[in-house]
Amino acid sequence: MGRDIGIRTRWLPVILRAKLYLLTGAPPYLRQVANTVRAILWNKPKLVIAELPQGPLLLLLSILKFILRFKLVVDVHTAFLIYDDWKGVLLNKPFTPLLQSADLIIVHNSEIFKLLPKRLTKRAILVYDPPRKLIKSQDESDYILLPASWRSDEPLEYILEEFLAANIKAPLVVTGDYKRREHLYHKYRNTPHIVFTGYLNNEEYLTTLSRAKAVIVTTTREYTLLSAGWEAIYAEKIAIVSETKTLKRLFGDAAIYFKLHIKGSLTKALEALDKNDILFYRLKVKLLRYLIITEVLNQLRLLAKTVNSLVIRNDRRRS
């Protein structure tokens, strides 16, 4: 997948009429802290909206909110509440109680509500990933696309082995920067019918997506709605999906499912692409796309209305 900023990062400032600041950094985040403080002191905002990939940002914003009295909205990513390794625990778990300092909490899917303390659910709002501008291709190819972040929650070796065992002629195209798990790339790079694209920019990725016959959407982690899932829906692609509660809630009967790490499960799902009932899935995905877009637009309207109400209340309190 590309290094371009995420679709939520693009949409939220537009919908909420906010300035966008991309403050990237690595532990101990000293430059990120300095840039955040500088941006807030310079702009003197009535409201701050923050995406929360890491906990220290929430601590900083909670302190600044107490001093400067702005309203705080946080967009809580799954990684803030679900941890794959010690780094996630260290950088996020100690800071989760500070969510109570937020005036509004944005969550990505309904399953995340279950992870929030009950006292916080009243100030939480659900917003799915909005659609991005897609590239429409007139000539669909026969390959299957695996959009990979190459993170630990993606069972890539299982998928590659199952694909090789499947009785299909379609090639598998794997996107993303494989340097995160380079040993897998070296193991399979010379395998027939598997193509590793490496990093693709936004336009290259969307072109590759538009021509795919189907998209594999997979994670071992619950409470996670992958960007590949949203992209498959918005591009009206048949999705071959790992069976988690979260993904089943999203796709319903509009996807072909497989059970993770069960030998032959993904192989059967891949071979189902050549069966006659594939038209059923195409129609279901088209309907799901319409329903999702309608719901997302309603969510964004509610979000804008709620945020506007926070600003008005803050103005009254200040005056």
Side-chain angles (χ1 to χ4, degrees):
M1 305 270 276
R3 293 187 185 90
D4 307 84
I5 62 174
I7 191 64
R8 295 177 76 87
T9 309
R10 292 179 184 273
W11 269 76
L12 288 180
V14 176
I15 295 297
L16 303 176
R17 299 177 183 179
K19 271 186 181 178
L20 173 62
Y21 285 88
L22 292 173
L23 305 174
T24 59
Y29 301 112
L30 297 180
R31 181 178 297 179
Q32 191 178 23
V33 167
N35 289 338
T36 301
V37 172
R38 187 181 300 115
I40 290 176
L41 292 179
W42 178 262
N43 289 280
K44 298 181 175 62
K46 298 176 182 178
L47 179 137
V48 172
I49 307 153
E51 294 194 357
L52 289 181
Q54 303 292 0
L57 175 61
L58 180 56
L59 173 61
L60 173 63
L61 291 175
S62 299
I63 295 170
L64 292 174
K65 177 193 174 184
F66 178 78
I67 297 170
L68 301 174
R69 301 299 178 183
F70 54 74
K71 293 293 183 180
L72 179 60
V73 178
V74 294
D75 185 16
V76 180
H77 290 224
T78 304
F80 189 75
L81 298 169
I82 299 291
Y83 320 116
D84 293 328
D85 51 33
W86 65 268
K87 182 181 176 182
V89 174
L90 184 64
L91 292 176
N92 289 312
K93 191 170 185 178
F95 302 96
T96 53
L98 291 174
L99 284 173
Q100 63 188 347
S101 68
D103 299 284
L104 182 65
I105 300 168
I106 305 172
V107 296
H108 291 212
N109 63 77
S110 56
E111 297 296 312
I112 289 291
F113 271 97
K114 299 175 183 178
L115 302 180
L116 293 174
K118 287 186 178 180
R119 68 182 182 278
L120 296 181
T121 55
K122 291 183 179 179
R123 68 179 87 166
I125 188 170
L126 172 64
V127 178
Y128 290 152
D129 277 10
R132 64 164 74 190
K133 186 177 180 181
L134 297 173
I135 296 173
K136 291 187 177 181
S137 176
Q138 299 298 323
D139 49 326
E140 186 176 274
S141 187
D142 66 338
Y143 61 79
I144 298 167
L145 181 64
L146 173 58
S149 67
W150 295 81
R151 297 185 186 277
S152 59
D153 67 304
E154 294 176 339
L156 295 180
E157 188 160 18
Y158 167 78
I159 291 170
L160 296 172
E161 287 294 333
E162 287 282 297
F163 176 81
L164 292 175
N167 184 26
I168 57 174
K169 296 180 180 179
L172 178 68
V173 175
V174 186
T175 67
D177 188 353
Y178 46 74
K179 291 179 182 177
R180 283 177 174 159
R181 295 162 77 177
E182 204 163 356
H183 67 285
L184 287 180
Y185 165 71
H186 288 299
K187 181 177 179 179
Y188 294 97
R189 65 178 178 174
N190 295 321
T191 305
H193 306 303
I194 296 180
V195 178
F196 297 97
T197 66
Y199 165 73
L200 297 177
N201 64 35
N202 192 53
E203 185 174 352
E204 290 170 335
Y205 173 72
L206 292 179
T207 300
T208 304
L209 171 65
S210 72
R211 300 189 61 198
K213 178 180 181 180
V215 179
I216 297 177
V217 180
T218 182
T219 178
T220 58
R221 187 170 61 184
E222 275 290 359
Y223 305 102
T224 301
L225 287 181
L226 301 161
S227 58
W230 295 117
E231 290 157 358
I233 291 171
Y234 292 138
E236 297 182 12
K237 297 296 178 181
I238 297 170
I240 303 171
V241 179
S242 55
E243 194 172 309
T244 67
K245 292 179 182 178
T246 309
L247 290 175
K248 286 201 77 171
R249 183 182 289 270
L250 172 64
F251 280 95
D253 59 359
I256 301 172
Y257 293 99
F258 66 94
K259 294 184 181 294
L260 285 169
H261 302 303
I262 294 182
K263 189 174 182 180
S265 182
L266 177 56
T267 298
K268 289 180 181 178
L270 291 167
E271 291 172 350
L273 286 172
D274 294 327
K275 294 184 179 178
N276 294 331
D277 59 357
I278 208 65
L279 180 61
F280 166 83
Y281 290 106
R282 290 190 183 278
L283 293 173
K284 282 288 186 179
V285 170
K286 189 178 287 289
L287 175 61
L288 179 61
R289 178 182 183 273
Y290 170 78
L291 295 174
I292 290 292
I293 288 178
T294 301
E295 189 167 358
V296 168
L297 291 175
N298 289 333
Q299 291 170 350
L300 291 173
R301 290 189 193 101
L302 177 60
L303 176 62
K305 182 179 178 181
T306 305
V307 168
N308 187 53
S309 177
L310 286 175
V311 172
I312 291 172
R313 289 206 306 268
N314 202 38
D315 285 344
R316 288 173 180 170
R317 187 173 59 82
R318 286 182 172 184
S319 60

